[in-house]
Amino acid sequence: MLVGTKHGMYINGEWISETAGGVIDVYNPATLEKIAEVPNGSVKETERAIQAAKVAFEPWANLTARERSSYLYKAYHKMMERKEELARLLTLEQGKPLREARGEIEFAASFLLWYAEEANRVYGEMIPSSKKGKRLWVVPKPIGVVAAITPWNFPSAMVTRKVAPAIAAGCTVVLKPAEQTPLSAIEIVKIFEEVGLPKGVLNLVTGDPIEIGKVLMESSDVRSITFTGSTEVGKLLMKGSAQNVKKLSLELGGHAPLLVLEDADLDLAAELAVASKYRNCGQTCICTNRIFVQESVKEEFTRKLQEKVKQLQMGNGLDDGVTIGPLIDKGGLEKVKRQVEDAISKGANVIAGGKEWKGPGGYYYEPTILNNVSNHMDIMYEETFGPVVPIVSYTTIEEAIQAANDTDYGLAAFLFTNDLSKAITIMERLEYGIIGINDVFPGTAEAPFGGVKQSGLGREGGREGIQEFIEMKYVSIAIKDV
Ligand code: NAP
């Protein structure tokens, strides 16, 4: 493990640690101890990385899909071999419990494997012409240099979910990971270096997000930006990319509702509501943010939920038995505190948690449940990104659907029922890109992940994910009969 060392940026196959901007410190959010330094890169380094990716593009795109996929297969095996070490590093820089970090490494590696396979299945088309003597082809082509900007909450999986399909498609990449969690991204780049990925195909810059973002947006050599992060930054990227009419793939915020119907298996619903809400300390884009329970079972469901929440153990994710870690930073903690205070001031009751916890030094907040919640509280409209959930009751299914859809977000929604007709009807009316029915873990490499409304554009994963990096070239050929 490379903790304590000074890391570099990876540009055109070389590691660069000296920059005019100095360094950025990386902290363990569980203890607030400094664990590493990365370069504070800016305009110059980003321009160099784009140039390297531009030069590498044509030779990379001209390889056969099989040749490109061979690097991804090798990277997948290396990542799985190093699973434990990478999981520990992930927990150290991000804070999630080690068990979750192991799951994330497997999830991250699964995108390498999936896109090693999908690289070989990017098909074109031959269209039957309406005119004699014409042949119409549609030829898939990689889009070019791609900028990939990733968040801190899944520092490993969000990198491979973008990089794997991009390079499988024949694109080259400039990767900019989140400031708080660059170490997992650096290790993934090292894996690609070890498997011999040609120089310039994957470049990594760390540093000032505004300066780096500006160069990526304004460069006409960057043909696409694939971004996972907040809706706010997603909108900035859309505006900034308009000048060059750049393609954008945006995986943005969420505000997932979880609906419990009176016929549901309440034990399962409570168990999975806790798993969905409190994993990664509530810092997951598809985390349950609002629970809607049918009035007739609200009391029983709430009691079961409280019992499950009591069993969670807060602490440093590297310690045995810990099931919920710290928030990533002070800003994250302040947001949670403000939402809880706002709800209480407007009449909500805290029925679990509700307090900051000093713990081993990081920013911790107890897993919290709020009751007596109403529509005019911030928590009902803002993405929480912390370990707090409001419970609201409803009488009719129509009421539940209206409430669940009453948000600008549209990433994921969850539904608990044993009635197939209700499940299908409600699923069809929920305005979300992802629906879990008696399931809160929909994310998997082989399925398309993404939101509607202000939760984003495009899809990651599945056969759709690689299409984000492909453009279709239409070729019309006039021929003479011979
Ligand atoms: P964020 O603040 O939007 O940051 C995401 C990335 O964008 C980071 O690398 C950040 O760099 C960079 N960035 C910030 N300002 C930028 C700018 N002006 N130009 C270019 N890049 C810029 O989001 P976050 O707090 O890291 O992540 C949490 C958010 O991600 C939540 O809203 C969550 O729902 C969303 N998310 C969505 C999905 C999904 O699949 N839909 C998955 C995971 C997370 P710095 O770190 O250097 O600031």
Side-chain angles (χ1 to χ4, degrees):
M1 177 158 328
L2 299 163
V3 173
T5 50
K6 196 170 167 182
H7 297 271
M9 289 186 280
Y10 190 67
I11 300 175
N12 204 26
E14 280 174 29
W15 291 96
I16 296 158
S17 47
E18 299 307 322
T19 56
V23 293
I24 297 175
D25 294 336
V26 183
Y27 293 92
N28 176 353
T31 59
L32 302 189
E33 284 162 338
K34 180 175 158 181
I35 51 172
E37 287 176 357
V38 295
N40 186 17
S42 188
V43 175
K44 203 173 100 199
E45 292 80 14
T46 312
E47 285 171 347
R48 280 182 60 195
I50 294 170
Q51 183 58 26
K54 187 181 171 185
V55 171
F57 173 65
E58 222 175 279
W60 180 248
N62 285 339
L63 292 184
T64 64
R66 272 265 175 256
E67 284 167 327
R68 287 195 299 272
S69 73
S70 70
Y71 294 97
L72 288 159
Y73 279 118
K74 286 182 207 153
Y76 163 74
H77 290 296
K78 281 233 175 271
M79 197 163 185
M80 290 304 285
E81 277 161 26
R82 293 181 54 196
K83 178 177 144 186
E84 188 61 23
E85 176 204 346
L86 294 172
R88 286 187 169 271
L89 183 66
L90 202 165
T91 293
L92 202 67
E93 69 170 345
Q94 200 274 339
K96 65 182 60 175
L98 193 51
R99 195 173 57 89
E100 286 185 31
R102 290 187 185 115
E104 181 176 340
I105 299 299
E106 280 177 20
F107 184 47
S110 73
F111 289 102
L112 301 175
L113 181 60
W114 176 257
Y115 286 109
E117 293 159 344
E118 283 301 289
N120 299 295
R121 290 193 268 273
V122 177
Y123 301 125
E125 231 183 335
M126 184 175 251
I127 301 172
S129 172
S130 59
K131 297 187 184 72
K132 275 198 182 304
K134 287 267 226 171
R135 298 293 183 271
L136 313 181
W137 293 357
V138 180
V139 183
K141 286 284 173 195
I143 194 162
V145 175
V146 170
I149 306 177
T150 54
W152 49 263
N153 63 341
F154 285 87
S156 200
M158 296 304 101
V159 169
T160 56
R161 200 162 79 171
K162 295 181 183 313
V163 168
I167 65 178
C171 295
T172 53
V173 177
V174 176
L175 168 66
K176 196 222 89 59
E179 260 167 273
Q180 289 108 324
T181 57
L183 306 182
S184 297
I186 288 171
E187 290 308 305
I188 290 168
V189 171
K190 283 185 183 163
I191 287 174
F192 276 110
E193 185 187 25
E194 280 170 34
V195 302
L197 193 75
K199 67 178 187 178
V201 173
L202 175 58
N203 305 274
L204 170 118
V205 288
T206 52
D208 184 337
I210 295 175
E211 290 297 321
I212 294 173
K214 194 163 178 292
V215 178
L216 295 174
M217 285 186 281
E218 290 178 357
S219 166
S220 53
D221 291 327
V222 175
R223 293 308 311 137
S224 163
I225 297 184
T226 170
F227 169 77
T228 296
S230 59
T231 297
E232 191 191 348
V233 174
K235 287 179 184 175
L236 286 176
L237 293 172
M238 281 186 97
K239 279 192 197 137
S241 298
Q243 193 60 28
N244 291 314
V245 194
K246 233 180 263 308
K247 186 173 188 322
L248 286 166
S249 310
L250 303 174
E251 294 290 342
L252 308 178
H255 198 36
L258 183 145
L259 275 53
V260 182
L261 271 60
E262 59 194 355
D263 67 82
D265 176 338
L266 295 186
D267 288 310
L268 179 75
E271 184 188 330
L272 293 189
V274 168
S276 163
K277 175 69 255 183
Y278 301 104
R279 83 176 159 124
N280 203 10
C281 194
Q283 304 169 114
T284 301
C285 53
I286 60 167
C287 258
T288 293
N289 261 349
R290 299 165 291 152
I291 297 181
F292 298 99
V293 194
Q294 205 147 18
E295 183 57 44
S296 52
V297 293
K298 185 182 174 209
E299 217 180 292
E300 190 184 348
F301 172 80
T302 304
R303 202 176 55 248
K304 288 177 189 292
L305 194 71
Q306 284 171 296
E307 280 161 17
K308 300 267 179 213
V309 167
K310 264 192 222 148
Q311 291 161 18
L312 293 172
Q313 194 181 325
M314 276 210 120
N316 184 336
L318 288 175
D319 292 344
D320 282 345
V322 166
T323 49
I324 180 166
L327 287 147
I328 191 75
D329 59 18
K330 193 160 191 282
L333 175 68
E334 292 304 326
K335 184 176 186 187
V336 166
K337 280 164 66 180
R338 176 177 58 72
Q339 283 195 353
V340 172
E341 279 160 23
D342 170 79
I344 293 171
S345 74
K346 292 172 181 165
N349 298 335
V350 173
I351 56 169
K355 290 193 304 300
E356 199 178 336
W357 181 65
K358 290 298 171 199
Y363 299 107
Y364 294 87
Y365 198 87
E366 292 174 346
T368 299
I369 308 174
L370 299 176
N371 204 356
N372 281 336
V373 176
S374 56
N375 260 346
H376 56 290
M377 298 173 183
D378 292 347
I379 199 155
M380 294 304 286
Y381 294 98
E382 279 180 7
E383 184 181 34
T384 304
F385 244 56
V388 184
V389 72
I391 301 195
V392 183
S393 64
Y394 64 87
T395 313
T396 66
I397 286 174
E398 182 59 33
E399 223 182 285
I401 295 170
Q402 297 288 342
N405 287 339
D406 185 15
T407 167
D408 288 334
Y409 293 108
L411 187 56
F414 306 110
L415 169 64
F416 283 85
T417 177
N418 282 323
D419 183 322
L420 184 62
S421 299
K422 285 180 185 164
I424 291 175
T425 311
I426 296 171
M427 176 276 290
E428 286 172 349
R429 292 192 55 205
L430 287 171
E431 297 165 356
Y432 289 84
I434 303 160
I435 310 283
I437 300 174
N438 298 324
D439 180 21
V440 294
F441 299 115
T444 180
E446 60 274 20
F449 188 101
V452 299
K453 293 158 83 176
Q454 293 192 25
S455 286
L457 298 173
R459 293 293 180 268
E460 290 189 333
R463 61 189 151 92
E464 291 82 356
I466 200 164
Q467 294 300 332
E468 298 290 321
F469 303 100
I470 296 285
E471 281 176 324
M472 291 298 176
K473 183 177 278 186
Y474 161 55
V475 188
S476 174
I477 309 166
I479 56 163
K480 290 188 186 132
D481 286 332
V482 287

